[in-house]
């Protein structure tokens, strides 16, 4: 199938004309109705360019059925669909392209939405029947058409959206399924019925009729070690939840099941993994605003750790564009250990400083205009703290600039952890700016 364009208005050269574009992909075809010029013309006349509710409802029904059919055939990706008013996009099987074009033409020109409903009816799959309660065998060629493993994967996704545990197994020419409703999912849907409109529990208490053919045993462990078990009981208690983790993220479980928090917490605790395509020959790397983008991206990634931990508004490293020269010689020191970046120091050079004896409540001394390296921020992975890593970074900054460690300047205000480090490396006081 090749790309094609179908014009709906008499004059296809008019900028207000509507058209339908058909574009084939590997697994399906995209049928897109371009209404952009039409919407602009209606808006200019003071009209309402929005689609009627019956139109959008028919589109949603057809789109849902079409996407299910494509996933059922084996596609495992996602879709980019438009629901108007400027663009309407439907992803459909190749065999339904002509019917989809006719349905969109009738809906757009004649306000006849029966074609979209007919398309949905033609593509609709008997998902409710496949996920009905009971242990049974669905046979390829009779109950379904795709390869059994493809069909089983599709059913698992649909069962998950309904809160069901599928208990499925694919064979050479069939798929065995036994949908069950976990107690936690049942209680969730009964507690929040407004979130699951139309949901009916068909699985709890289901009893197999006499004479039902049982699933053959295929060896290995016993197939159902929970058969006849007593469901776990749940109680509601007032527990302390939420709050912030020391890594800077919330303890509440996010929508991804906590994966984002786990990845960030691991990086905060042990350091950021060094990219495999990065040649790192020493222990310490000095990244400048003119360094290759891979190094600057790594500095930007590591700078996220102290930003989240201390809830800063901005990261201390943001130079991700083209290489550039900064007047203050902005740079980042990255310390590596065991393939991870465990230490990070952001610094630049400045000539406005005052001396401070590190005593609480004491005043700064007179100004000093000597050019000094200034520490913007220091961060060490949690597992390596209180082991001298911070002092190594400050010493590296001083050596790189060519001064003594007591001549290094610190950005003000200095945190409590920063003061403790400063007293260790410069007990007689520090320069602040």
């Amino acid at each position: 199938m090749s790309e094609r364009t179908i014009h709906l208005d008499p004059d296809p050269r008019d900028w207000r004309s509507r058209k339908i574009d058909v574009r084939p992909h590997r697994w399906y075809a995209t049928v897109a109705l371009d209404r952009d010029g039409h919407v602009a013309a209606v808006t200019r006349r003071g009209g309402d360019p929005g689609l009627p509710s019956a139109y959008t409802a028919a589109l949603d029904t057809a789109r849902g059925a079409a996407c299910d059919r494509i996933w059922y055939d084996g596609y495992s990706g996602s879709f980019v669909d438009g629901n108007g008013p400027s663009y309407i996009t439907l992803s459909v099987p190749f065999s339904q392209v002509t019917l989809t074009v006719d349905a969109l033409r009738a809906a757009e020109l004649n306000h006849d939405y029966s074609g979209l409903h007919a398309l949905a009816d033609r593509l609709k799959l008997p998902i409710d029947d496949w996920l009905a309660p009971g242990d049974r065998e669905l046979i390829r060629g009779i109950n379904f058409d795709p390869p059994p493993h493809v069909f089983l994967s599709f059913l698992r996704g649909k069962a998950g959206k309904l809160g069901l545990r599928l208990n499925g197994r694919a064979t050479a020419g069939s798929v065995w399924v036994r949908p069950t409703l976990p107690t936690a999912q049942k209680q969730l849907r009964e507690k929040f019925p407004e979130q699951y409109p139309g949901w009916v529990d068909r699985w709890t208490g289901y009893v197999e009729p006499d004479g039902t053919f049982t699933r053959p045993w295929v060896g290995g462990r016993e197939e159902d070690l929970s058969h006849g078990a007593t469901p776990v009981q749940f109680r509601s208690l007032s527990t302390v939840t939420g709050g912030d983790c020391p890594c800077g993220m919330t303890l509440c479980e996010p929508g991804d099941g906590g994966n984002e928090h786990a990845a960030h917490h691991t990086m905060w605790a042990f350091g950021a993994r060094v990219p495999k395509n990065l040649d790192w020959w020493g222990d310490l790397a000095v990244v400048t605003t003119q360094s290759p983008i891979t190094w600057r991206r790594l500095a930007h990634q590591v700078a996220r750790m102290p930003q989240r931990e201390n809830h800063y508004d901005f990261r201390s490293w943001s130079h991700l564009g083209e290489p550039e020269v900064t007047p203050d010689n902005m740079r980042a020191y990255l310390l590596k250990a065991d393939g991870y970046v465990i230490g990070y120091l952001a610094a630049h050079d400045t000539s406005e400083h005052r001396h401070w004896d590190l005593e609480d409540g004491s005043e700064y001394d007179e100004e000093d205009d000597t050019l000094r390296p200034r520490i913007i921020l220091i961060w060490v992975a949690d597992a390596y703290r209180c082991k001298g890593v911070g002092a190594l970074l400050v010493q590296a900054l001083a050596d790189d600039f060519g001064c003594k460690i007591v001549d290094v300047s610190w950005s003000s205000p200095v945190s409590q952890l920063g003061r403790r480090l400063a007293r260790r490396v410069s007990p007689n006081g520090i320069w602040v700016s």
Side-chain angles (χ1 to χ4, degrees):
M1 174 181 289
S2 57
E3 296 185 14
R4 64 192 68 175
T5 299
I6 300 97
H7 295 278
L8 303 185
D9 294 300
D11 186 3
R13 295 170 297 179
D14 191 340
W15 65 273
R16 295 166 295 185
S17 63
R18 292 161 288 183
K19 60 184 179 180
I20 297 177
D21 296 317
V22 178
R23 177 174 296 180
H25 303 277
R26 181 179 179 185
W27 285 91
Y28 59 91
T30 298
V31 181
L33 172 58
D34 185 350
R35 306 176 75 247
D36 192 38
H38 175 74
V39 168
V42 172
T43 304
R44 183 176 299 180
R45 294 195 302 265
D48 182 9
L51 300 176
S53 58
Y55 197 172
T56 56
L59 285 171
D60 291 339
T61 303
R63 182 178 291 111
C67 292
D68 282 346
R69 177 69 66 165
I70 298 170
W71 283 321
Y72 165 78
D73 289 336
Y75 177 64
S76 58
S78 58
F79 304 95
V80 179
D81 293 323
N83 205 29
S86 297
Y87 293 93
I88 296 173
T89 309
L90 290 175
S91 301
V92 298
F94 295 108
S95 60
Q96 307 303 317
V97 168
T98 301
L99 181 60
T100 304
V101 171
D102 294 339
L104 284 176
R105 178 189 285 112
E108 185 66 22
L109 300 180
N110 304 324
H111 305 290
D112 180 6
Y113 312 125
S114 59
L116 291 172
H117 289 292
L119 175 66
D121 293 339
R122 189 168 183 174
L123 295 175
K124 185 177 180 180
L125 296 170
I127 297 175
D128 290 341
D129 296 337
W130 291 335
L131 296 179
D135 190 6
R136 62 197 181 281
E137 183 182 26
L138 303 176
I139 302 175
R140 185 181 187 185
I142 299 177
N143 304 108
F144 66 95
D145 296 317
H149 71 281
V150 172
F151 178 61
L152 180 59
S153 178
F154 171 77
L155 278 189
R156 289 193 191 280
K158 287 298 176 183
K161 292 182 179 180
L162 294 175
L164 300 176
R165 182 180 294 117
L166 187 59
N167 296 312
R169 188 183 77 216
T171 66
S174 66
V175 168
W176 281 90
V177 294
R178 184 171 62 248
T180 57
L181 180 65
T183 304
Q185 293 291 338
K186 174 180 172 63
Q187 294 180 352
L188 179 65
R189 282 157 172 76
E190 290 177 346
K191 186 176 182 180
F192 305 102
E194 67 281 357
Q195 298 182 14
Y196 307 94
W199 179 81
V200 178
D201 183 6
R202 300 184 293 157
W203 301 271
T204 303
Y206 176 81
V207 179
E208 296 282 358
D210 296 336
T212 301
F213 183 73
T214 58
R215 184 184 305 196
W217 185 59
V218 294
R221 297 183 303 172
E222 295 184 19
E223 289 194 307
D224 191 359
L225 298 178
S226 295
H227 181 70
T230 302
V232 173
Q233 300 296 318
F234 297 92
R235 300 288 186 270
S236 297
L237 298 176
S238 298
T239 58
V240 178
T241 59
D244 289 335
C245 178
C247 73
M249 295 190 68
T250 178
L251 290 172
C252 296
E253 182 176 312
D256 66 346
N259 294 334
E260 182 182 357
H261 182 195
H264 174 79
H265 191 99
T266 301
M267 189 180 301
W268 169 81
F270 301 107
R273 183 179 291 275
V274 176
K276 294 182 179 179
N277 62 340
L278 204 60
D279 293 330
W280 195 323
W281 302 108
D283 297 321
L284 184 74
V286 182
V287 181
T288 70
T289 57
Q290 303 178 68
S291 298
I293 185 59
T294 306
W295 286 98
R296 288 183 281 130
R297 284 175 178 166
L298 180 60
H300 185 259
Q301 179 187 19
V302 178
R304 182 183 64 174
M305 301 299 111
Q307 180 196 13
R308 283 194 169 177
E309 180 178 355
N310 299 290
H311 305 289
Y312 297 142
D313 293 332
F314 305 100
R315 298 191 193 187
S316 53
W317 183 269
S318 59
H319 298 275
L320 297 178
E322 297 181 355
E324 60 178 344
V325 177
T326 55
D328 58 351
N329 190 23
M330 179 68 185
R331 57 201 182 276
Y333 295 81
L334 304 180
L335 182 62
K336 182 188 70 169
D338 301 324
Y340 291 85
V341 180
I342 65 167
Y344 165 80
L345 186 150
H348 67 162
D349 300 336
T350 183
S351 57
E352 297 179 359
H353 318 277
R354 290 175 178 270
H355 198 267
W356 182 37
D357 59 9
L358 291 172
E359 296 296 332
D360 292 335
S362 62
E363 298 292 336
Y364 296 158
D365 293 339
E366 295 182 0
E367 293 186 7
D368 177 88
D369 58 0
T370 303
L371 184 66
R372 305 176 187 276
R374 176 176 180 258
I375 298 173
I376 299 175
L377 185 143
I378 299 179
W379 176 83
V380 177
D382 184 65
Y384 295 87
R385 294 180 182 177
C386 300
K387 297 181 179 180
V389 175
L392 282 176
L393 289 170
V394 179
Q395 185 65 60
L397 173 64
D399 294 341
D400 184 54
F401 186 82
C403 67
K404 297 181 179 180
I405 200 169
V406 295
D407 294 324
V408 171
S409 183
W410 300 63
S411 60
S412 178
V414 184
S415 67
Q416 291 297 330
L417 291 178
R419 293 185 188 184
R420 187 167 61 184
L421 173 61
R423 290 188 180 99
R424 187 184 314 137
V425 299
S426 183
N428 295 325
I430 60 174
W431 295 98
V432 295
S433 56

